[in-house]
Amino acid sequence: MDDVKIEFPSLPRSKEEAEDWTYPMRREMQEILPGLFLGPYSSAMKSKLPMLQKCGITHVVCVRQNIEANFIKPNFEQLFRYLVLDIADNPVENIIRFFPTTKEFIDESLQTGGKVLVHGNAGISRSAALVIAYIMETFGIKYRDAFTYVQERRFCINPNAGFVHQLQEYEAIYLAKLTIKMMSPLQMGRSISVQPGTTGHLKRTHEEDDEFGNMQVTAAQDSHLYS
């Protein structure tokens, strides 16, 4: 029987002449994909409004823990659309549950011609993990390739060990979710060939993914979307 194919877009190529990384750059945001920026909270403070507007930012994913809410906050709710996520930079934090919400928000921004900044406190662990997951799922690539792609643009990223483990697991989860969405009952016995972007060939069969079939990746109820 014919394979059911899941096709992904190609990942944009790396810049041939990457800018030399300097320590002060960690306090700035960097463009990871066209229209998708990653940075620390210092790049989203009130004093940085001119730079945000110059870069065309329209959407912001603000990652913070409840105890950080007093100093990490949406500063431009009248100008930008915000997704505020309550995530602790802790290896036992379940960050996978935030991946679908974040992807939907970023996709909405980019599809409407906007640009989105994803930031936490330092732009190193939590926000980096969200951007890596977005690239994995959007372009159908493995964690290591997505990590390398992001690190080439923001050298200081360093998701904690728990987030890395979850990101490594997420490949099978999102592929299983896509498989179930695409397959009709008559196709459930067919093998699934995944057409990746630019990094390797991934192949799954339905039987191999069956253990993930009952997994549910849900959006966090604590997330708040500001208009």
Side-chain angles (χ1 to χ4, degrees):
M1 290 185 290
D2 295 335
D3 287 353
V4 176
K5 294 183 178 180
I6 304 173
E7 295 186 357
F8 294 95
S10 296
L11 189 64
R13 293 183 179 180
S14 301
K15 297 178 181 178
E16 294 183 359
E17 296 183 2
E19 186 177 2
D20 289 336
W21 180 264
T22 60
Y23 186 84
M25 291 172 67
R26 68 177 53 217
R27 294 193 291 269
E28 305 167 359
M29 64 181 183
Q30 283 80 38
E31 190 169 21
I32 309 301
L33 292 170
L36 174 58
F37 293 77
L38 170 63
Y41 177 62
S42 59
S43 66
M45 298 174 66
K46 291 182 178 180
S47 62
K48 295 301 176 69
L49 179 58
M51 178 59 68
L52 293 170
Q53 292 178 321
K54 179 180 179 180
C55 292
I57 298 298
T58 58
H59 293 61
V60 178
V61 179
C62 175
V63 184
R64 68 185 186 188
Q65 199 174 356
N66 278 337
I67 59 174
E68 298 173 309
N70 287 333
F71 62 92
I72 299 178
K73 61 186 68 176
N75 289 314
F76 312 106
E77 294 183 68
Q78 303 302 317
L79 298 175
F80 307 143
R81 189 173 184 186
Y82 279 83
L83 173 65
V84 180
L85 302 176
D86 179 10
I87 306 175
D89 188 12
N90 188 313
V92 301
E93 175 72 278
N94 176 11
I95 197 171
I96 283 182
R97 62 193 173 120
F98 297 96
F99 293 165
T101 306
T102 304
K103 186 176 191 308
E104 181 180 358
F105 186 81
I106 294 174
D107 282 341
E108 177 188 353
S109 168
L110 300 181
Q111 290 168 5
T112 55
K115 295 184 178 182
V116 57
L117 165 63
V118 182
H119 78 77
N121 183 15
I124 291 176
S125 182
R126 293 170 293 185
S127 54
L130 294 175
V131 171
I132 290 169
Y134 177 82
I135 290 176
M136 288 175 62
E137 186 168 1
T138 300
F139 299 100
I141 63 176
K142 297 178 180 295
Y143 161 73
R144 176 51 56 182
D145 296 318
F147 173 87
T148 300
Y149 188 87
V150 176
Q151 190 183 49
E152 286 175 350
R153 291 152 180 79
R154 183 167 174 78
F155 185 75
C156 62
I157 66 168
N158 186 26
N160 71 51
F163 292 172
V164 170
H165 181 68
Q166 292 178 67
L167 284 163
Q168 291 169 334
E169 292 182 334
Y170 190 56
E171 178 192 344
I173 294 174
Y174 79 71
L175 286 175
K177 186 171 63 172
L178 283 172
T179 298
I180 293 170
K181 182 183 296 186
M182 291 184 63
M183 294 181 70
S184 69
L186 294 177
Q187 296 171 321
M188 293 302 282
R190 299 181 180 180
S191 63
I192 306 303
S193 294
V194 179
Q195 305 300 322
T198 58
T199 52
H201 179 74
L202 310 177
K203 188 175 180 67
R204 296 283 192 277
T205 63
H206 175 68
E207 289 76 12
E208 289 170 339
D209 277 339
D210 188 56
E211 62 182 294
F212 299 101
N214 294 324
M215 287 190 178
Q216 296 182 349
V217 183
T218 59
Q221 296 180 348
D222 293 336
S223 303
H224 303 289
L225 186 60
Y226 293 83
S227 300

